[in-house]
Amino acid sequence: MNITCGTDIIEIDRIKKLIEDAKEKALDKIFTKKEIEYCESKNGVKYQHYAVRFAAKEAIFKAISNKLDNKFDISWNDVEILNDQNGRPEVNFITTKVKGIQSIEISLSHCKEYAVATVVAIWS
């Protein structure tokens, strides 16, 4: 068994600017359709939800990159961050390129200015 971890923090205004400047082009490149639907449903705080999912994907890439044959084989849309029925975030891999993970846990948090994510992956 091997354990890897990743953490990322980002300024929410940076993601807001990225989305406002690039519009749908940035959204579709980084986020899945389900992630966009979820974040857009948050209206006034949607950029906090986009930012925390961006941080989550960065944290996941940090946790798994040394286990991939080629770290460029995985794209932003190969990873999806959704919430379960209790509101707890879950990681869904939409690719088969990530192999050997027994379990992956994620913790997300955001405030007015920052979003942070931490990931712990257990490998077989």
Side-chain angles (χ1 to χ4, degrees):
M1 179 179 12
N2 191 359
I3 299 172
T4 58
C5 66
T7 299
D8 194 69
I9 185 169
I10 190 160
E11 294 170 328
I12 291 168
D13 280 346
R14 187 171 155 212
I15 294 300
K16 180 179 180 181
K17 182 173 177 12
L18 172 78
I19 291 170
E20 288 177 344
D21 289 351
K23 306 267 188 253
E24 288 179 29
K25 183 179 176 183
L27 287 178
D28 293 338
K29 184 176 181 179
I30 299 169
F31 303 102
T32 67
K33 195 173 272 192
K34 288 180 183 178
E35 289 172 322
I36 293 169
E37 288 172 9
Y38 174 80
C39 294
E40 288 297 320
S41 76
K42 298 302 179 183
N43 298 319
V45 293
K46 70 180 182 180
Y47 295 112
Q48 291 177 348
H49 292 273
Y50 278 119
V52 82
R53 276 157 182 74
F54 183 92
K57 292 179 184 209
E58 284 281 353
I60 290 164
F61 294 151
K62 290 173 182 176
I64 70 171
S65 64
N66 67 341
K67 297 288 186 178
L68 298 174
D69 292 334
N70 180 351
K71 67 180 180 179
F72 300 107
D73 278 349
I74 189 167
S75 71
W76 293 99
N77 283 321
D78 288 334
V79 179
E80 184 174 64
I81 312 302
L82 298 175
N83 294 359
D84 68 13
Q85 67 270 11
N86 296 320
R88 187 173 179 272
E90 294 180 316
V91 177
N92 297 322
F93 288 103
I94 304 172
T95 179
T96 58
K97 296 174 185 171
V98 180
K99 296 178 175 116
I101 294 180
Q102 288 181 321
S103 175
I104 188 161
E105 296 295 324
I106 188 164
S107 178
L108 309 177
S109 189
H110 52 80
C111 63
K112 185 177 179 183
E113 295 177 3
Y114 297 98
V116 64
T118 301
V119 171
V120 175
I122 299 173
W123 301 80
S124 53

